[in-house]
Amino acid sequence: MFEVAELTHQISDQDYAEPIVALRTELLMVQQQLKTLDFPVLILISGVDGGGKGELIHALNEWLDARYMHTEAFDQPSDEEQERPKFWRFIRALPPKGQIGIFVGSWYSEPISKRVSGHLKDGAFERALNDINALEKLLTDDGGLIIKCWLHLKKSIQKKRLKALAANPDTQWQVTHKDAHHIKHYDDFIDTAEAVLTRTSTVHSPWLIVDGSDGNYARLTVGQHILNRIHRHIQQRARQQTLPEAAEPDLNLYQQSLLDALDLSLSLKKSDYQDKLAFYQTQLGQLSRKAKARQHSILLVFEGWDAAGKGGAIRRLTYAMDPRLYRVIPIAAPTDEERAQHYLWRFWRHLPRAGKMTIYDRSWYGRVLVERVEKLASNEEWQRAYAEIVDFERALTDHGITILKFWLHIDKDEQLKRFQAREKIPYKQFKITDEDYRNRDKWDDYKAAVNEMIARTSTHSAPWIMVEGNDKRHARIKVLETVCAALTRQLG
Amino acid sequence: MFEVAELTHQISDQDYAEPIVALRTELLMVQQQLKTLDFPVLILISGVDGGGKGELIHALNEWLDARYMHTEAFDQPSDEEQERPKFWRFIRALPPKGQIGIFVGSWYSEPISKRVSGHLKDGAFERALNDINALEKLLTDDGGLIIKCWLHLKKSIQKKRLKALAANPDTQWQVTHKDAHHIKHYDDFIDTAEAVLTRTSTVHSPWLIVDGSDGNYARLTVGQHILNRIHRHIQQRARQQTLPEAAEPDLNLYQQSLLDALDLSLSLKKSDYQDKLAFYQTQLGQLSRKAKARQHSILLVFEGWDAAGKGGAIRRLTYAMDPRLYRVIPIAAPTDEERAQHYLWRFWRHLPRAGKMTIYDRSWYGRVLVERVEKLASNEEWQRAYAEIVDFERALTDHGITILKFWLHIDKDEQLKRFQAREKIPYKQFKITDEDYRNRDKWDDYKAAVNEMIARTSTHSAPWIMVEGNDKRHARIKVLETVCAALTRQLG
């Protein structure tokens, strides 16, 4: 059973009034401070039916400044939500940095209710909790503060309370069939909840379990807890900023590797190219329609050296498809809404609906490429990113999305040749800037970063495909062929 | 019949190659320039089946820099889209300022297909076209450039082309039942299209009608047209900036009016207040659940003087409802994604799903209040806004959404009293800033703006409700009572 701080005394309305004034003042003051800081606060409210979640939400909405917080109550998922991985709907509703978000119903609701009703076997239940821990770690590692509150009621009190609600015509709507089911299965529910709370009460995001039998007590306790957690988090963040940077990576480790093993002399004759292009484009057209019919989503990632031919390869793909079936997302500087979120948030945003394809022209791998080399991310941040990215991609493949990641490779001489050629073509001139030459000077740093990226993020279900790009014809056909082969395998 | 520039000669692939290089260069150059300018370019591609829309889209995607453009191909609406007014899905996909958006399928698709199939009678057809014209005017008045291209085919050529597509196993998927239907009803289709093009070819957004029988010709013509339109638009915008400002409004006209007629002595005894509060909150709880069951959406707007009690009134509403059924949207400074769109875009974004309520704490009326008084919008902009707002709200009420707009009114003395009282309450201090006092100095300017706003935007289906706010109890009950009465009327 839970260990819940035993309620030694009830708090009368009179005894409640005074501490609440003090608490409200402090909450509003810390909320003012929060606006200037660079982390979000996410408050999850869960608990047993009749535990007083509604009243608690109302109180929080009354205490806090509505302009810098919002409450998200998760109802049945819409079809747009159902067509994406399970966390998508929550991630799109995350509070931005400097703000407070309250989630009523969250990623905990489904695993608990499915487990109680027997629809989640041991292995799947375990995996669901692991996924939750990974997601919460992702957010807290990024500086986010997660505050999780569970409102508990003893069985006898829950029964009494739901009976009272059901007897009053104004409140009986609050008592649903689900509640009746839960009362009946109170013990199962509590066992499940206990397993969930124990497994997900981590150092970085612990649960607060509160006795909900006295509303005044519960609200004061949660309010005070929120205040304390935010204060402590602000102090911790300040302390962390004085810590030394994580160690520099050993660049030599990844100098000799995959990239050097590629045979850049691979090429294709023009006539062969034209035949194969027509063949695979026709096939891709058919496969993309089949994917649509089967509601099978596809995600393609293109990374590569400047001038390696990403755009050209992408156009050979899109040319074969109905424009309703794909979207190309070119990754440029993030907008301020994107900057106010975890770095993966902007990529979650564009995940394809069922049956569609999203093509990312550059991607989340910027974190371990340009952000690493240009020192836009700290060592700690980009080193952590490998695992974050693998988790992210697994969330997508678990949902049934096909992922293929292409690294378009050319050598340094070929790149220079292409830069110079572009400078001569009027409509390509703008593509070459001083920055391209600056990036070129850091070739070896990028090479180490690419090698490490490939080594650490190529997984069975989301593999990297190395494309020898010195010959554009070979590269384009290899991309097309790979996509067709993967889809043929998946769609039978 | 259409007047389509007669095709005097076909353009061979050889004759096509050279002008395309020049065109691409110019398109890329103007796209570079566009990035620095503050208007979006929206290209709509429509036309008869088999007219070559797909090839045209492919060409545009090949010519333009993908980083500053995107193609939106509209498929069946999702449930999230269906639950909103018909334009919602298009508005959320509009290109931001400085970028190009291509729409394949647009707000024209539905009226045309419904009309051809006989599901849109004269009156409704006429209204649908009026709505389109109003929407396009809204966008072009804001500086947006809309380029509309219609690919036409003669009946005999269409037949031949679709037959060829159907005969080839690689392309037969392009020929759907809809196409067969369209061929059969070619004449109806053309008549409808002609009516639509004629009625919607306006000065601000004319149609280009192109003979699609020769693909090279069509692509070159459209490309050249896009280039010309953008060039001309840039010149026009530059010229407009040298025009004198629109006339200053006559403030006296709206000094004596509605606001002065309100009886601010209205008040409510505490015991009456408590009885009524409990009564209406219970009723609102029931009505909000009924609205959810009937999929009936509700939108409430709160405007009023600083310290007039908007927040308090809103909390008395939300307290009565399940947090899953409403959202409060506090309107603060727009994000950069919002700033890059028409000023109404950020409000479209938050429209409620079916059965839900959105409460706007301040709203689009900022355009004709603070932006007018503080001269953040030009005279021309805010004067145009009245009609834009009325159109916007009509789009929502046409969709079946209930709209109620509350102006919370207090007098100048009461405001000062409240400012001073807030300054003494620790957790309210932060609410009072120098800006509040600065706004207060402009009381008469605001008063004229409010009077004019009420006079020009109160409509039968989206009325303003003036709330006498000197007594908070009276104000809160009046708001609750009004919402309950309106919902009771609507939900029976």
Side-chain angles (χ1 to χ4, degrees):
Chain A
M1 263 301 289
F2 288 129
E3 284 183 58
V4 187
E6 199 60 44
L7 247 193
T8 49
H9 64 291
Q10 307 255 321
I11 299 181
S12 71
D13 287 350
Q14 262 174 330
D15 287 349
Y16 178 68
E18 201 179 317
I20 279 299
V21 172
L23 179 62
R24 275 182 83 157
T25 309
E26 288 204 75
L27 279 172
L28 283 171
M29 272 155 52
V30 81
Q31 206 185 355
Q32 285 291 101
Q33 192 183 350
L34 196 57
K35 274 161 55 189
T36 65
L37 300 172
D38 65 340
F39 67 86
V41 176
L42 176 62
I43 301 173
L44 308 185
I45 307 288
S46 295
V48 303
D49 298 319
K53 290 184 291 252
E55 290 77 5
L56 177 59
I57 307 297
H58 286 314
L60 292 173
N61 276 281
E62 204 172 332
W63 299 341
L64 292 160
D65 185 342
R67 284 170 297 175
Y68 311 109
M69 64 161 282
H70 69 274
T71 301
E72 291 281 344
F74 293 93
D75 212 342
Q76 289 306 309
S78 71
D79 60 0
E80 291 197 20
E81 290 170 341
Q82 247 155 353
E83 291 176 16
R84 265 84 168 207
K86 60 184 175 183
F87 290 152
W88 188 79
R89 59 193 305 227
F90 303 111
I91 284 171
R92 71 169 174 162
L94 286 174
K97 289 168 185 170
Q99 299 216 13
I100 298 176
I102 300 175
F103 279 10
V104 192
S106 63
W107 41 77
Y108 286 101
S109 311
E110 200 185 276
I112 293 180
S113 71
K114 276 199 175 167
R115 177 69 171 174
V116 173
S117 64
H119 291 95
L120 213 55
K121 298 293 159 218
D122 289 357
F125 181 56
E126 201 51 35
R127 263 201 311 283
L129 300 185
N130 284 343
D131 289 346
I132 287 175
N133 282 337
L135 174 66
E136 292 183 356
K137 184 168 187 311
L138 179 90
L139 299 176
T140 53
D141 277 352
D142 193 46
L145 172 60
I146 303 181
I147 302 173
K148 304 187 289 195
C149 305
W150 181 271
L151 291 168
H152 183 67
L153 281 185
K154 271 192 248 171
K155 192 175 185 173
S156 56
I157 297 182
Q158 187 190 32
K159 244 182 170 159
K160 226 190 322 185
R161 198 174 277 189
L162 290 176
K163 217 180 241 172
L165 287 172
N168 180 342
D170 294 342
T171 55
Q172 62 191 187
W173 64 273
Q174 292 183 32
V175 186
T176 62
H177 289 301
K178 225 173 63 193
D179 295 317
H181 178 86
H182 283 176
I183 293 184
K184 211 169 139 197
H185 297 269
Y186 181 90
D187 295 332
D188 293 347
F189 181 78
I190 292 297
D191 283 351
T192 303
E194 191 180 5
V196 169
L197 299 198
T198 311
R199 280 276 288 106
T200 59
S201 213
T202 54
V203 180
H204 51 85
S205 55
W207 277 98
L208 170 75
I209 303 168
V210 187
D211 187 327
S213 60
D214 179 51
N216 288 344
Y217 168 81
R219 287 189 289 277
L220 254 180
T221 306
V222 170
Q224 197 62 51
H225 177 71
I226 291 172
L227 184 65
N228 293 345
R229 289 286 313 273
I230 299 178
H231 272 311
R232 221 179 321 144
H233 197 70
I234 292 172
Q235 285 164 10
Q236 274 172 1
R237 300 265 303 163
R239 242 196 331 269
Q240 271 164 12
Q241 272 151 19
T242 65
L243 289 178
E245 249 275 66
E248 283 288 329
D250 180 358
L251 287 179
N252 291 322
L253 207 61
Y254 287 99
Q255 259 324 324
Q256 292 300 322
S257 183
L258 277 157
L259 291 187
D260 295 308
L262 293 179
D263 179 2
L264 288 174
S265 72
L266 286 174
S267 70
L268 213 54
K269 270 196 304 183
K270 191 165 184 182
S271 60
D272 284 354
Y273 169 71
Q274 281 167 338
D275 290 349
K276 290 189 177 206
L277 185 66
F279 177 78
Y280 286 119
Q281 284 188 333
T282 304
Q283 202 183 2
L284 180 59
Q286 290 161 348
L287 287 164
S288 64
R289 290 191 299 282
K290 203 167 181 180
K292 167 73 180 164
R294 302 258 189 97
Q295 301 277 82
H296 185 93
S297 308
I298 304 149
L299 195 153
L300 306 182
V301 170
F302 284 85
E303 294 282 355
W305 300 102
D306 291 330
K310 293 187 294 293
I314 291 173
R315 278 197 298 273
R316 296 314 176 286
L317 289 168
T318 56
Y319 196 87
M321 293 182 284
D322 182 333
R324 273 165 301 193
L325 298 186
Y326 68 84
R327 270 205 80 141
V328 179
I329 307 292
I331 298 304
T335 66
D336 59 5
E337 290 181 39
E338 292 171 341
R339 250 190 306 266
Q341 299 279 359
H342 188 275
Y343 78 96
L344 286 173
W345 188 84
R346 54 195 295 231
F347 306 104
W348 272 97
R349 237 184 152 172
H350 297 294
L351 292 182
R353 295 193 54 190
K356 309 235 171 172
M357 178 189 284
T358 299
I359 300 173
Y360 291 89
D361 184 353
R362 302 199 188 274
S363 69
W364 44 95
Y365 285 99
R367 189 73 163 191
V368 295
L369 294 173
V370 55
E371 290 185 43
R372 164 184 174 170
V373 172
E374 302 295 338
K375 300 196 184 307
L376 304 172
S378 70
N379 289 339
E380 205 264 326
E381 281 172 333
W382 67 257
Q383 285 168 17
R384 192 173 67 215
Y386 298 112
E388 292 172 345
I389 287 173
V390 169
D391 280 343
F392 167 56
E393 293 176 355
R394 202 173 38 75
L396 312 191
T397 53
D398 277 355
H399 185 69
I401 299 175
T402 295
I403 303 183
L404 297 172
K405 304 178 295 196
F406 294 96
W407 176 263
L408 267 70
H409 189 56
I410 51 175
D411 62 32
K412 231 178 146 176
D413 292 342
E414 178 65 23
Q415 187 186 47
L416 186 63
K417 247 191 277 175
R418 291 190 186 179
F419 281 4
Q420 287 164 347
R422 282 185 177 183
E423 283 161 341
K424 283 184 201 128
I425 303 174
Y427 62 84
K428 286 192 172 171
Q429 275 167 0
F430 76 93
K431 280 188 162 180
I432 298 297
T433 62
D434 291 347
E435 209 190 309
D436 291 305
Y437 282 100
R438 274 197 303 275
N439 290 343
R440 192 176 146 71
D441 289 340
K442 297 188 181 160
W443 187 276
D444 288 345
D445 292 349
Y446 274 104
K447 190 174 155 192
V450 172
N451 276 325
E452 183 165 3
M453 169 186 85
I454 306 282
R456 299 186 59 174
T457 62
S458 209
T459 59
H460 178 69
S461 52
W464 275 104
I465 296 100
M466 308 302 288
V467 181
E468 304 81 358
N470 272 17
D471 180 70
K472 285 184 182 177
R473 293 196 284 255
H474 166 79
R476 290 168 184 174
I477 295 300
K478 179 161 181 179
V479 168
L480 265 166
E481 193 182 354
T482 308
V483 174
C484 286
L487 291 182
T488 304
R489 253 195 326 273
Q490 308 255 355
L491 301 168
Chain B
M1 262 303 287
F2 289 127
E3 284 183 59
V4 187
E6 200 59 44
L7 248 192
T8 49
H9 64 291
Q10 306 255 323
I11 299 181
S12 69
D13 288 349
Q14 261 174 331
D15 287 348
Y16 179 68
E18 200 178 319
I20 278 299
V21 171
L23 179 62
R24 274 183 83 157
T25 308
E26 287 203 76
L27 279 172
L28 283 171
M29 271 155 54
V30 81
Q31 206 186 354
Q32 285 292 101
Q33 193 183 350
L34 197 57
K35 274 162 55 189
T36 65
L37 300 173
D38 65 341
F39 66 87
V41 177
L42 176 62
I43 301 173
L44 307 186
I45 307 289
S46 295
V48 303
D49 298 319
K53 289 184 292 250
E55 290 77 4
L56 177 58
I57 308 296
H58 286 314
L60 291 173
N61 276 281
E62 204 172 333
W63 299 342
L64 293 159
D65 185 342
R67 285 170 297 175
Y68 311 109
M69 63 160 283
H70 68 273
T71 302
E72 290 280 346
F74 293 94
D75 211 344
Q76 289 307 308
S78 70
D79 59 0
E80 291 198 21
E81 290 170 341
Q82 247 155 353
E83 291 176 17
R84 265 82 168 209
K86 60 184 175 184
F87 290 152
W88 188 79
R89 58 193 306 226
F90 303 112
I91 284 172
R92 71 168 175 162
L94 285 174
K97 289 169 187 170
Q99 300 216 13
I100 297 176
I102 299 175
F103 279 9
V104 192
S106 64
W107 40 77
Y108 286 101
S109 311
E110 200 185 274
I112 293 179
S113 71
K114 276 197 174 168
R115 178 69 172 174
V116 173
S117 64
H119 291 95
L120 214 54
K121 298 294 159 218
D122 289 357
F125 181 55
E126 201 50 35
R127 262 201 311 282
L129 300 185
N130 284 343
D131 289 347
I132 287 175
N133 282 337
L135 175 65
E136 291 183 356
K137 184 167 186 312
L138 179 90
L139 299 176
T140 53
D141 277 352
D142 192 47
L145 172 61
I146 303 181
I147 302 172
K148 305 187 289 195
C149 305
W150 182 270
L151 291 168
H152 183 67
L153 281 185
K154 272 193 250 172
K155 192 174 184 174
S156 55
I157 296 182
Q158 187 190 32
K159 244 182 169 160
K160 225 189 322 184
R161 199 174 277 191
L162 291 177
K163 216 180 242 172
L165 287 172
N168 181 341
D170 294 341
T171 55
Q172 62 191 184
W173 63 275
Q174 292 182 34
V175 186
T176 63
H177 289 300
K178 226 173 61 193
D179 294 317
H181 178 86
H182 284 176
I183 293 184
K184 210 168 140 197
H185 297 268
Y186 181 91
D187 295 330
D188 294 347
F189 182 78
I190 292 297
D191 283 351
T192 303
E194 191 179 5
V196 168
L197 299 198
T198 312
R199 281 276 288 105
T200 59
S201 214
T202 54
V203 180
H204 51 84
S205 55
W207 277 98
L208 170 74
I209 302 168
V210 188
D211 188 327
S213 60
D214 179 53
N216 287 345
Y217 168 82
R219 287 189 290 276
L220 254 181
T221 306
V222 170
Q224 197 60 52
H225 177 72
I226 291 172
L227 185 65
N228 294 345
R229 290 285 313 273
I230 299 178
H231 273 310
R232 222 178 320 143
H233 197 69
I234 291 171
Q235 284 164 10
Q236 274 172 2
R237 300 265 303 164
R239 242 196 332 270
Q240 270 164 13
Q241 272 152 19
T242 65
L243 289 178
E245 248 274 67
E248 284 289 329
D250 180 358
L251 287 179
N252 291 321
L253 207 61
Y254 287 100
Q255 260 322 324
Q256 292 300 322
S257 183
L258 277 156
L259 290 188
D260 295 308
L262 293 179
D263 179 3
L264 288 174
S265 72
L266 286 173
S267 71
L268 211 55
K269 269 196 305 183
K270 191 165 183 181
S271 60
D272 284 355
Y273 170 71
Q274 281 168 339
D275 290 349
K276 290 190 177 205
L277 185 66
F279 176 79
Y280 287 119
Q281 284 188 332
T282 304
Q283 203 184 0
L284 180 59
Q286 289 161 350
L287 287 164
S288 64
R289 290 190 301 281
K290 204 166 180 178
K292 168 71 180 166
R294 301 258 190 96
Q295 301 277 80
H296 184 94
S297 308
I298 304 149
L299 195 153
L300 306 181
V301 170
F302 284 85
E303 293 281 355
W305 300 102
D306 291 330
K310 293 188 294 294
I314 291 173
R315 278 197 297 273
R316 296 315 176 285
L317 290 168
T318 56
Y319 196 86
M321 293 182 286
D322 181 332
R324 274 166 301 194
L325 298 185
Y326 68 84
R327 269 205 81 142
V328 180
I329 307 292
I331 298 305
T335 65
D336 59 5
E337 291 181 40
E338 292 171 340
R339 251 190 306 267
Q341 300 279 358
H342 188 275
Y343 78 96
L344 287 172
W345 187 84
R346 55 196 292 232
F347 305 104
W348 273 97
R349 237 184 151 172
H350 296 295
L351 291 182
R353 296 193 53 189
K356 309 235 171 172
M357 178 189 284
T358 299
I359 301 174
Y360 291 89
D361 183 355
R362 302 199 188 275
S363 69
W364 44 94
Y365 285 99
R367 189 73 163 190
V368 294
L369 295 172
V370 56
E371 289 185 43
R372 163 183 174 170
V373 173
E374 303 294 339
K375 300 194 184 305
L376 304 171
S378 71
N379 288 339
E380 206 263 326
E381 281 173 333
W382 66 257
Q383 285 168 16
R384 192 173 68 214
Y386 297 113
E388 292 172 345
I389 287 173
V390 169
D391 280 344
F392 167 56
E393 293 177 355
R394 204 173 37 74
L396 311 191
T397 54
D398 277 356
H399 185 68
I401 299 174
T402 294
I403 303 183
L404 296 172
K405 305 177 295 195
F406 294 96
W407 176 262
L408 268 69
H409 189 56
I410 52 175
D411 61 31
K412 230 178 147 178
D413 292 343
E414 178 65 24
Q415 187 187 47
L416 186 62
K417 246 191 278 175
R418 291 189 186 180
F419 281 4
Q420 287 165 346
R422 282 185 176 183
E423 284 162 341
K424 284 187 198 121
I425 303 174
Y427 63 83
K428 286 191 172 171
Q429 276 167 359
F430 76 93
K431 280 188 163 180
I432 299 297
T433 62
D434 290 346
E435 209 189 309
D436 292 304
Y437 283 100
R438 273 197 303 276
N439 291 343
R440 192 175 147 72
D441 290 340
K442 297 189 180 158
W443 188 276
D444 287 346
D445 292 349
Y446 274 104
K447 191 175 154 190
V450 173
N451 276 325
E452 183 165 3
M453 168 185 86
I454 307 282
R456 299 186 60 173
T457 62
S458 209
T459 59
H460 178 69
S461 51
W464 275 104
I465 296 100
M466 308 303 287
V467 181
E468 305 81 358
N470 273 17
D471 179 70
K472 285 184 182 176
R473 294 195 284 254
H474 166 79
R476 290 168 184 175
I477 296 300
K478 181 162 180 178
V479 168
L480 265 166
E481 194 182 352
T482 308
V483 174
C484 286
L487 292 182
T488 304
R489 255 195 326 274
Q490 307 255 357
L491 301 168

